[in-house]
Amino acid sequence: MILDDFVSFDEKGLYCKYGDFYIDPQLPVKTAVISHAHADHAISGNNNVYCTRATASIMQLRYDRTAAKVFNIAAFNQPFEVGRVTVTLIPAGHMLGSAQILMEYDGARYLYTGDYKLQPDATCEPIEWVTTDVLITESTFANPAVIHPDPVSEIRKINDIKSNILLGAYALGKSQRLINLITEHAPQKKILVHHKIMPINAIYEKMGFPPGKYQIYGRKLMKVQDEFVYIVPPFTFDSYIRATGVKRLFASGWKNLQVNNQDTLFISDHVDWNDILQTIANTKPKQVWTLHGKGEYLKAYFKDDIFVKILN
């Protein structure tokens, strides 16, 4: 039987009272199950954290001693108990170590997707499918008007840019994916990375997911026009607003983050409308609960076929 109150929001985040744990909490809690290491899902200061080894490694890099009091490392597809709930981490395809969280209780299955994507990505574990009674899906781009372009076609655009490129991207996940795509599909480009990205690349390499060919940024290098692509985090990108001798690009699935009209790189690490429909078809839920976006379009699309509940 599906329990309508299996998870609910309070001031600390999404709470499962049947297991007495939070999922990707927004404030420090006693027990947290964390889907992936992006800062809006993985905060510091929790007591007990259940997550994948890659997620723990990245959290320890970013937060040092405050990452968590205790990390309980879980392998993919290996069930474990948290309170009265059986939890299994399933690859989500969003970034290295990202997991969907399958929760089983009293004969019902609840699958929290976290952030996830269906597009191929050589820098992380590909998404895997399990069936569920309730799909708790992020709905960041759950709009029929949002269809993400092919990332390979997007990255190949830079082949036509002969000047050096200043490429803004989030340091964790996106930068590693871009290094891989450029290495594969624009091999004449010489990739430079900001020093803040280097330790994250090292974790990817240790975990068996080397991003590709790159070197650390050097000021003398960028003074020469030699088809360099300098990948930098957002704060550095914004500080170089008056940079000369480079084409400025920001790689994102958000249109408002594109910085010029001539060249755009729409590369998203989230599911679009068609991907969400495919996910629902593959997981076969009786109910769909939405969060982190808008669920109204899904509610209207499925009408009486599948019950859709908007969690926030």
Side-chain angles (χ1 to χ4, degrees), residues 114-167:
D115 291 345
Y116 66 115
K117 73 171 182 291
L118 277 58
Q119 291 180 345
D121 182 353
T123 63
C124 69
E125 307 86 353
I127 191 168
E128 294 183 12
W129 302 112
V130 295
T131 58
T132 187
D133 296 302
V134 177
L135 178 69
I136 307 169
T137 179
E138 63 125 319
S139 52
T140 306
F141 296 112
N143 183 331
V146 179
I147 304 298
H148 293 145
D150 172 43
V152 172
S153 298
E154 287 295 296
I155 208 69
R156 282 176 175 164
K157 290 178 180 179
I158 71 170
N159 285 314
D160 297 326
I161 301 173
K162 301 308 177 184
S163 66
N164 292 345
I165 296 171
L166 181 67
L167 180 54

Side-chain angles (χ1 to χ4, degrees), residues 1-300:
M1 180 180 70
I2 294 172
L3 299 171
D4 188 59
D5 65 347
F6 183 74
V7 293
S8 59
F9 277 99
D10 64 20
E11 69 279 0
K12 293 182 178 179
L14 189 62
Y15 180 62
C16 176
K17 68 179 182 181
Y18 298 95
D20 190 22
F21 61 85
Y22 284 83
I23 303 167
D24 293 348
Q26 300 301 297
L27 293 172
V29 298
K30 180 180 69 175
T31 304
V33 182
I34 293 181
S35 65
H36 67 285
H38 279 143
D40 57 334
H41 291 257
I43 66 165
S44 62
N46 298 299
N47 282 2
N48 289 295
V49 168
Y50 293 84
C51 64
T52 64
R53 183 167 300 281
T55 294
S57 296
I58 296 166
M59 289 181 67
Q60 288 166 331
L61 171 67
R62 289 195 148 179
Y63 300 133
D64 198 17
R65 296 178 184 177
T66 65
K69 285 189 176 178
V70 177
F71 275 106
N72 302 278
I73 305 302
F76 286 121
N77 299 303
Q78 296 296 317
F80 55 94
E81 305 296 320
V82 184
R84 296 176 289 160
V85 175
T86 301
V87 178
T88 308
L89 302 184
I90 311 294
H94 176 62
M95 58 162 286
L96 180 66
S98 64
Q100 304 171 80
I101 300 169
L102 176 64
M103 297 163 282
E104 299 175 86
Y105 178 79
D106 199 22
R109 292 160 63 91
Y110 306 80
L111 181 65
Y112 169 89
T113 64
D115 291 345
Y116 66 115
K117 73 171 182 291
L118 277 58
Q119 291 180 345
D121 182 353
T123 63
C124 69
E125 307 86 353
I127 191 168
E128 294 183 12
W129 302 112
V130 295
T131 58
T132 187
D133 296 302
V134 177
L135 178 69
I136 307 169
T137 179
E138 63 125 319
S139 52
T140 306
F141 296 112
N143 183 331
V146 179
I147 304 298
H148 293 145
D150 172 43
V152 172
S153 298
E154 287 295 296
I155 208 69
R156 282 176 175 164
K157 290 178 180 179
I158 71 170
N159 285 314
D160 297 326
I161 301 173
K162 301 308 177 184
S163 66
N164 292 345
I165 296 171
L166 181 67
L167 180 54
Y170 294 113
L172 175 56
K174 181 77 74 180
S175 290
Q176 292 72 39
R177 189 182 184 199
L178 289 171
I179 292 168
N180 181 265
L181 286 168
I182 295 168
T183 299
E184 188 72 19
H185 302 288
Q188 81 283 5
K189 299 294 184 182
K190 300 175 179 64
I191 303 170
L192 307 176
V193 299
H194 190 270
H195 68 93
K196 292 281 190 181
I197 298 173
M198 293 293 284
I200 300 172
N201 285 359
I203 291 176
Y204 271 64
E205 288 160 359
K206 183 179 179 180
M207 295 288 171
F209 289 88
K213 295 180 180 179
Y214 64 89
Q215 59 182 304
I216 193 167
Y217 165 77
R219 184 176 296 180
K220 291 182 180 179
L221 292 172
M222 283 288 284
K223 289 183 177 180
V224 179
Q225 288 293 335
D226 197 16
E227 296 203 43
F228 287 112
V229 179
Y230 179 27
I231 301 177
V232 300
F235 69 91
T236 304
F237 185 81
D238 292 340
S239 71
Y240 286 174
I241 188 70
R242 292 184 174 85
T244 59
V246 295
K247 170 72 77 171
R248 298 178 79 251
L249 300 172
F250 197 94
S252 173
W254 294 94
K255 289 186 177 181
N256 65 305
L257 295 181
Q258 304 301 319
V259 295
N260 62 67
N261 295 324
Q262 294 77 30
D263 301 283
T264 58
L265 285 181
F266 285 108
I267 298 177
S268 178
D269 294 318
H270 293 261
V271 286
D272 64 9
W273 175 255
N274 286 340
D275 293 335
I276 294 176
L277 296 185
Q278 185 63 54
T279 298
I280 293 169
N282 288 357
T283 57
K284 300 177 172 58
K286 299 179 179 69
Q287 296 186 17
V288 175
W289 300 353
T290 69
L291 71 169
H292 302 313
K294 293 184 177 180
E296 290 85 356
Y297 291 107
L298 288 170
K299 184 185 282 284

